[in-house]
Every structure is written in C-alpha cells, then in structure tokens.
Amino acid sequence: MEERKIKKMDDNEMEECDMGSDEDYYNDPDPDVTHTDNDKDPESFEYKILEVVEVEMLLNTSVETMCKTIDVSPSLAKLLLHNYSWNTQKIEAEYRQNPEQLLINGKIKPSKIAKGVSRKNECIVCAQEVDTLLGVECRHRFCETCWCQHFEVQILNGVSTAIGCMGTDCTVLMPEDFVLSILRCRNQSKLSQQYQELTFRSYVSNHPELLYCPGPNCTAVIQAKAKEAKRVDCKKCKTTFCFKCGIDYHAPADCDTIKKWLIKCADDSETANYISAHTKDCPKCQVCIEKDGGCNHMKCKKCGHDFCWMCLGDWSAHGSEYYECSKYKENPNIANESEHAQAREALKKYLFYFERWANHDNSLRKEKDKMKEIAKQIEEKVTTKDGTWIDWQYLNKAGELLRRCRYTLQYTYPYAYYMLKGARKELFEYQQAQLESAVEALSYDIERAVLDSRGDIENKMDVVEKRRLTLVREFLVT
Amino acid sequence: MAGGLPRRIIKETQRLMAEPVPGIKAVPDEGNARYFHVIVEGPAESPFEGGTFKLELFLPEEYPMSAPKVRFMTKIYHPNIDKLGRICLDILKDKWSPALQIRTVLLSIQALLSAPNPDDPLENDVAEQWKVNEAQAIATAKQWTKMYATRG
Ligand SMILES: [Zn+2]
Ligand SMILES: [Zn+2]
Ligand SMILES: [Zn+2]
Ligand SMILES: [Zn+2]
Ligand SMILES: [Zn+2]
Ligand SMILES: [Zn+2]
C-alpha cells in the first residue's frame, strides 16, 4: 500500500499571510487527499439538530394536514398519526379505502360497540351514583373521579399515548384533549404537565425521522430523512451515536452486531474481569510497568525495551507489514477436538477480542486525559515564547484525529469476532492491522511531540485517516 | 387506613359473601379489609382435582385502577405459576381494566387450573416439561396435589 507524503509546510504558511502563494498547494489534484473526498465518505449523513419548539412545529404541520384531509379534531389526528408512526400517506390511502376501518386501526373507534353498559347513572368502577358519566367513542362511561384516578396511575407509571379506556377488553386509546380536560377539571396541573412531556417524548420516539439525543440530560432531537446507521455528533452535548439504534456509534460494525456483542460482554463480564490489569511486567527485565498513556507501544523506563502492551511481544515486529497483534489465530484442527477443548477455544477467542476491545476503550480515555495535559503544556510553551498558539494547533488536530481513528479501531474487534473465516476476513484483518499500527505510531509520536515533530505527525495523520477510510469504505454496509 | 374503605370494595365484598363463586371461598381478613384469604378447589377433570389451594389476594391502594395482587400459598406444579406462587395471567398485568373485579380474577385463576398454558410460561422448567412430556407433567401435578393440597 503506497502512502503519499504530504509536502512539508513552512510554519508561516498557516499564518495569516498572502494566500495567493499557497494556491499550488491547496489545488493539489491528488485524489487521495481526504478533505476533497467528502462526497464519498460513507459515514457522512445529513441531519438537523432541533430544539423542542422546532419539533412541535414539525409535528403540528402533520397534524394540520391530517385535520384537513380526513376531518378529525387535532387531538384525534395526533392519536391517529402516532398509531401510524406519522405516516400521513398511509393514513390517507386507508382513509380512501375504508374510513371506518382506519378509525378502528387507529384506536379511535372500538372494534365492537359496547352493549348498554351503565344502568342509570352508576359508575361501575367506583360503584357510586353520579350526575354525569363521561367517555369517548366506545361508549364506555365512567365518572370524572375514576377517569382522573385512572389517568394518574397511568401517568405515574410513565404511560401517556398508550392510556386505554377503562372498559374491559376495550381497544380504544384516550385522546389527548379528553385526558387534559379531565385533569384540568380536577386541578391536576402538575400531572397535566407531566402528561404533556410524556406524550411529546412518545410522539418523537414513534416518528421515523426523529431521534432523541441519548446524551445524559440532553434535550436535542435529531432529524434526518430515514433511520440509517449513520454517525450523529450532537453539538449540544458532544455525544456521538448511531441514528438507527441510538447507542454509541459503531462503524464498521452494524447495529445488530454491536447489540449482540454488548449483550455478550455484559453476560461474560465475570470472565472478562480478571484481564483488566493496570500493570504488567516488562518481558525483558521484569520490572513492573504501569500504563499511564493510551499508546500500546511501551518503552520500559528501566531497560529501554520496546514492547507491546497487548501481547507483550517485541515492538519491532509491530512496526512492519507483519503486524499481527490484532489477528486471532484459530486452531485449524478445532473441529476434530473434544467438546471440552472446543469450549476452551471459544472462550480463548472471545477473550482475545474482548481484551483488545476493552484496551482501546481504555486508551481512548487515557488519550483524552493526555490531550488535556498537552493543551496545558502548549499554553505554558506559548507564554514562554516557545512557538505561537497557531504553531501548536496541529497537535490538537492530531489528538482529535487519533481519537476518531482509535474509536473506529475499537469497533473493528466486535466486527471481526463475528466474521466468518475466508478471504473477506483476511482482507479485513489486514486493513485492521494496518490501521492499528498507524494508530499506535501516531499515538506514540503525539505523546512525545515537540515543535519540530509537526511534519512527521502530519504525515502520520494523513496515513492513519486514509487507512481508516479505506477500511470503513470497504466494510461498512450502507 | 386513611379515608375508609371505598364503596366499590365494600360492594364487591358483600356480593362475594352473598353469592360466592362455586368452588371458591374468599374471606376478608379481620384486621385488613383489603386482604383476602382465598381457597380454590382444584377443578374437576384437571390434575388438581381433589386439592384445595390457598391463595392470598391483596387490593393495593390504587385498586381498582391497578390490579389486585394474588399469590398461591400452596405449592402447585403448574406452567403458569412459579415457585413463589406468582401467577402469569394477562388480566393481572397489562390486560387489567378497572371495570374487572375480584370475582373475575378468581374465575380466571380457576380457569387457568383447568387449562394450563405452557406457551405463556412463568416457571420455565415446568412449562418445558409440560411441552416435552405432557403425560409425565400431569402425573407430577397430580402427585403434588396429593402431597401439598390435600388435608391429611
Ligand atoms: Zn367512578
Ligand atoms: Zn371503551
Ligand atoms: Zn445531545
Ligand atoms: Zn446502530
Ligand atoms: Zn524493562
Ligand atoms: Zn502486540
């Protein structure tokens, strides 16, 4: 694989100076340069981050359309839309075919009309005589107190759009205006507030174009044309997640693979616990070494030996085309072995992938700390006139890129774990090894960076991002 | 108890005493009118025939907006009843409606004894046994009925 060396930039090129002289540089026609490749980026994806008010407007537009086309109240239109996952076209089509059936499927009308349920004015739920009994389309009638208590129990259990009628076997759901009017009559303003928040959440979660940001306490709602497994970066809370399944973004693995993997990890957490060591012994001089950075290329402070934190092998074997640390070597004869040996092999295989998955996760956290440390050092250096702030910006960019690449690398492990043997897996493992070796090389350099390292580091940045994109382009199913 | 007993509970209790469900006895506790001591006779032609099963039934504060809590006290071998006596019955969970009554719940439990439903199980081992070898499961259920549900 050929890597193009980018031209070494003079430091003053980045400063505010005559941009004209840089034209040749920026017009570099090399098609490999990543920033000109955006349209081919398999992860790029169009989405909007909406505020609550904007979401309300979006939902209301659908409600208004519905009210006009099929002549129902806004409250019933909402119920209908919710039960049809906001698919206005489907509702209109069914309305043209059979309006009665549409209202039954939409849980507005009952599938069978209740027989004369209430004799006189007795509410059968509380067994009291009352002046008025209330209800909706299904003709089940109950007193205001009972309805209110029913709503209270449901709302406190987190139920909102799914609150049903109190009648036995009744399929009808309670429209918003009925619930709100009862709560208003009983002065339940707090409950009413809670109900409205719950229904709003429920509408959003049933909407094919909307997804709540899963970030802690974040209220942002993401809107995109379809629920695709693409990366969303929430600008409000900085969470990165998958638009399809809503959990942490996981390319190149798909939603099902990552779900399966996370369940497996949770189930086997006991088994996996013993491997999470923070210290290991130097394989040459046996001195105890603590891992303080994210980089897995370790250098023993005592004897200077270069080794790999993951496999404890010599690092020199990791820096070349023969990088094999990421590849699990299965026993080729395993099919003929005893059941016992097969179980042991299965566990060994899982632990191999789990250990690497967990280790990259750990490295991501350590590198985040490292970048904070580096930012502090940069500030100190700038104040002591060791370069300008702009001179050092490259290092922040390098840290950001490293994070993105290691993140993808972490998710290559569950992907590889579930891959079947064959040519595809071999290609995947080759590209994974290439990416891992480039990630560790960049991480090693960043931890030791000086002003002069800029050229080298920018070179490595170019290499690592190219390798990441090559892998994602090849293996991410879109 | 604050606020006294709701009229609905009083009426249900009165009716349960005046016209009891055949094969079922439900008596409110002397100290707590929301707690019922229940005895269900094993239905005829079921593996539970000849047994008398003790249950407890409790009406929570939100009753009838929430379902009663019911539990078997007598050990029973049944695919929809677990070791702790908890019952897997839709009307005690998501299919509960405030218009249902203690009477309907007890009738449903009696019906569940007549027709065990291993496809909607609670106790996995028992349900499995019921599906794999029904004859054996029925024999075990009869044996348990004799052992635990017949007064010696
Ligand atoms: Zn009532
Ligand atoms: Zn109804
Ligand atoms: Zn967010
Ligand atoms: Zn996903
Ligand atoms: Zn050493
Ligand atoms: Zn290694």
Side-chain angles (χ1 to χ4, degrees):
Chain A
M1 185 175 293
E2 201 225 352
E3 315 284 0
R4 189 187 60 96
K5 301 254 174 195
I6 57 166
K7 287 173 193 162
K8 190 157 165 99
M9 278 193 265
D10 290 326
D11 287 336
N12 61 3
E13 265 188 355
M14 287 300 287
E15 279 169 48
E16 258 188 283
C17 63
D18 180 13
M19 293 301 283
S21 63
D22 294 333
E23 249 190 87
D24 286 348
Y25 178 81
Y26 287 108
N27 288 340
D28 191 335
D30 191 328
D32 275 347
V33 180
T34 52
H35 60 253
T36 63
D37 237 344
N38 258 343
D39 46 336
K40 275 202 277 169
D41 182 350
E43 295 182 303
S44 77
F45 166 59
E46 251 183 69
Y47 60 87
K48 275 189 259 173
I49 297 178
L50 305 182
E51 293 293 335
V52 170
V53 203
E54 294 169 292
V55 179
E56 272 168 356
M57 270 162 56
L58 183 111
L59 297 180
N60 280 338
T61 314
S62 297
V63 171
E64 275 162 31
T65 320
M66 208 72 311
C67 291
K68 267 182 225 142
T69 33
I70 66 167
D71 190 31
V72 284
S73 70
S75 174
L76 289 179
K78 262 190 198 173
L79 192 57
L80 204 53
L81 281 161
H82 178 74
N83 290 324
Y84 274 84
S85 300
W86 299 82
N87 187 340
T88 43
Q89 279 168 341
K90 193 169 175 213
I91 296 177
E92 279 162 28
E94 279 193 28
Y95 181 72
R96 277 193 299 271
Q97 260 189 358
N98 187 345
E100 196 66 17
Q101 193 58 42
L102 171 77
L103 296 179
I104 292 171
N105 294 346
K107 311 273 175 83
I108 288 173
K109 283 197 167 171
S111 38
K112 48 180 190 288
I113 294 287
K115 304 163 255 168
V117 229
S118 42
R119 28 182 185 102
K120 298 173 288 176
N121 268 348
E122 195 199 62
C123 166
I124 60 157
V125 169
C126 61
Q128 310 269 14
E129 296 272 340
V130 287
D131 293 341
T132 27
L133 293 174
L134 308 160
V136 292
E137 294 277 344
C138 59
R139 298 193 202 161
H140 289 120
R141 295 282 182 271
F142 307 96
C143 76
E144 191 185 280
T145 319
C146 284
W147 277 120
C148 187
Q149 279 173 8
H150 174 55
F151 296 153
E152 182 177 354
V153 168
Q154 298 288 317
I155 294 165
L156 294 181
N157 274 320
V159 185
S160 60
T161 47
I163 297 179
C165 168
M166 289 197 283
T168 308
D169 280 335
C170 185
T171 51
V172 164
L173 296 181
M174 292 295 111
E176 210 176 85
D177 59 354
F178 185 74
V179 177
L180 288 173
S181 75
I182 298 263
L183 293 178
R184 205 178 306 117
C185 288
R186 314 279 307 172
N187 280 323
Q188 295 276 9
S189 58
K190 225 177 107 190
L191 212 54
S192 161
Q193 174 83 22
Q194 213 174 336
Y195 170 73
Q196 279 167 297
E197 280 165 22
L198 284 171
T199 47
F200 183 72
R201 276 210 160 253
S202 179
Y203 294 145
V204 169
S205 68
N206 246 19
H207 201 290
E209 289 182 11
L210 302 176
L211 184 75
Y212 260 105
C213 169
N217 300 321
C218 187
T219 54
V221 173
I222 317 301
Q223 185 203 7
K225 278 278 159 284
K227 288 263 161 80
E228 284 180 89
K230 299 278 191 176
R231 182 174 65 208
V232 176
D233 293 292
C234 177
K235 283 187 190 62
K236 274 184 92 176
C237 72
K238 303 276 182 272
T239 304
T240 300
F241 57 95
C242 165
F243 190 65
K244 193 172 181 184
C245 68
I247 59 175
D248 291 347
Y249 185 64
H250 47 66
D254 61 28
C255 303
D256 290 342
T257 303
I258 204 64
K259 216 169 280 163
K260 227 171 24 180
W261 173 255
L262 292 175
I263 289 169
K264 181 163 182 57
C265 291
D267 287 350
D268 295 358
S269 60
E270 296 276 315
T271 339
N273 261 345
Y274 81 97
I275 53 172
S276 61
H278 297 290
T279 61
K280 285 184 180 177
D281 294 346
C282 165
K284 205 164 199 177
C285 73
Q286 267 70 49
V287 74
C288 182
I289 294 183
E290 195 179 348
K291 190 164 181 278
D292 59 348
C295 184
N296 292 301
H297 172 183
M298 307 299 290
K299 196 175 188 70
C300 175
K301 286 197 180 94
K302 194 172 167 221
C303 73
H305 180 51
D306 287 282
F307 67 98
C308 166
W309 175 264
M310 258 344 293
C311 67
L312 297 177
D314 208 310
W315 189 262
S316 58
H318 287 67
S320 63
E321 287 288 297
Y322 306 108
Y323 188 98
E324 288 211 305
C325 187
S326 52
K327 187 171 162 183
Y328 182 69
K329 290 177 202 73
E330 240 164 301
N331 176 351
N333 248 333
I334 193 66
N336 304 321
E337 301 273 349
S338 71
E339 214 173 289
H340 207 70
Q342 287 187 11
R344 219 177 317 125
E345 172 76 13
L347 179 66
K348 216 173 105 197
K349 178 181 167 185
Y350 165 64
L351 288 178
F352 178 91
Y353 287 97
F354 178 79
E355 204 176 350
R356 278 154 181 79
W357 152 270
N359 190 48
H360 283 302
D361 194 53
N362 192 30
S363 288
L364 278 168
R365 254 173 286 139
K366 291 212 159 126
E367 275 160 357
K368 200 173 164 193
D369 295 343
K370 200 89 197 175
M371 286 319 293
K372 277 188 206 144
E373 224 174 90
I374 286 174
K376 232 186 259 161
Q377 286 167 5
I378 291 175
E379 232 166 85
E380 273 164 33
K381 281 178 173 149
V382 171
T383 41
T384 57
K385 297 276 188 298
D386 182 8
T388 66
W389 190 74
I390 287 168
D391 293 335
W392 285 105
Q393 268 317 290
Y394 84 93
L395 207 49
N396 284 328
K397 278 194 195 136
E400 193 38 50
L401 183 73
L402 174 64
R403 195 192 64 78
R404 184 158 22 134
C405 292
R406 194 185 286 285
Y407 190 93
T408 304
L409 181 58
Q410 185 193 351
Y411 282 84
T412 61
Y413 282 99
Y415 189 100
Y417 176 77
Y418 290 109
M419 254 183 133
L420 297 174
K421 258 197 284 190
R424 279 298 277 173
K425 185 162 187 182
E426 271 166 40
L427 177 64
F428 185 82
E429 283 176 331
Y430 172 75
Q431 294 190 352
Q432 179 189 39
Q434 289 285 300
L435 175 61
E436 188 161 283
S437 131
V439 162
E440 299 302 350
L442 179 61
S443 176
Y444 191 83
D445 279 10
I446 289 176
E447 288 185 7
R448 290 158 183 80
V450 287
L451 205 49
D452 279 349
S453 324
R454 179 167 170 181
D456 257 357
I457 286 186
E458 281 176 341
N459 241 326
K460 292 203 165 88
M461 286 166 70
D462 190 50
V463 170
V464 75
E465 176 63 357
K466 255 189 232 156
R467 289 183 178 177
R468 191 185 78 86
L469 281 175
T470 307
L471 186 144
V472 169
R473 251 181 225 133
E474 182 67 39
F475 291 97
L476 181 62
V477 187
T478 49
Chain B
M1 196 165 303
L5 207 58
R7 186 177 151 79
R8 151 95 184 234
I9 296 180
I10 296 169
K11 273 190 84 172
E12 274 200 71
T13 310
Q14 283 169 350
R15 189 162 164 232
L16 272 172
M17 309 300 275
E19 340 159 12
V21 187
I24 299 174
K25 221 170 92 189
V27 186
D29 187 81
E30 280 175 27
N32 186 345
R34 286 177 177 268
Y35 186 95
F36 289 75
H37 301 273
V38 180
I39 289 175
V40 176
E41 283 170 26
E45 276 154 63
S46 80
F48 311 101
E49 185 172 5
T52 45
F53 298 87
K54 255 194 178 164
L55 290 84
E56 57 174 356
L57 183 148
F58 180 68
L59 305 176
E61 192 60 43
E62 306 90 58
Y63 181 81
M65 303 312 155
S66 295
K69 299 190 187 308
V70 199
R71 192 168 74 91
F72 271 80
M73 310 288 278
T74 307
K75 255 177 94 115
I76 182 167
Y77 191 83
H78 190 289
N80 310 100
I81 299 162
D82 74 1
K83 287 194 194 80
L84 299 172
R86 290 176 300 195
I87 308 161
C88 182
L89 188 61
D90 56 358
I91 62 157
L92 292 177
K93 293 178 182 140
D94 56 316
K95 287 278 153 49
W96 172 253
S97 139
L100 291 170
Q101 301 181 5
I102 302 173
R103 174 180 296 270
T104 20
V105 169
L106 294 175
L107 281 166
S108 302
I109 291 171
Q110 203 178 37
L112 196 64
L113 293 185
S114 293
N117 179 9
D119 293 323
D120 182 20
L122 195 75
E123 182 78 343
N124 272 321
D125 305 350
V126 180
E128 200 53 40
Q129 188 58 239
W130 218 279
K131 274 198 269 191
V132 175
N133 190 345
E134 199 181 335
Q136 178 61 53
I138 288 174
T140 312
K142 280 183 179 162
Q143 201 188 341
W144 280 41
T145 305
K146 217 176 230 148
M147 257 165 30
Y148 304 110
T150 350
R151 258 173 283 177

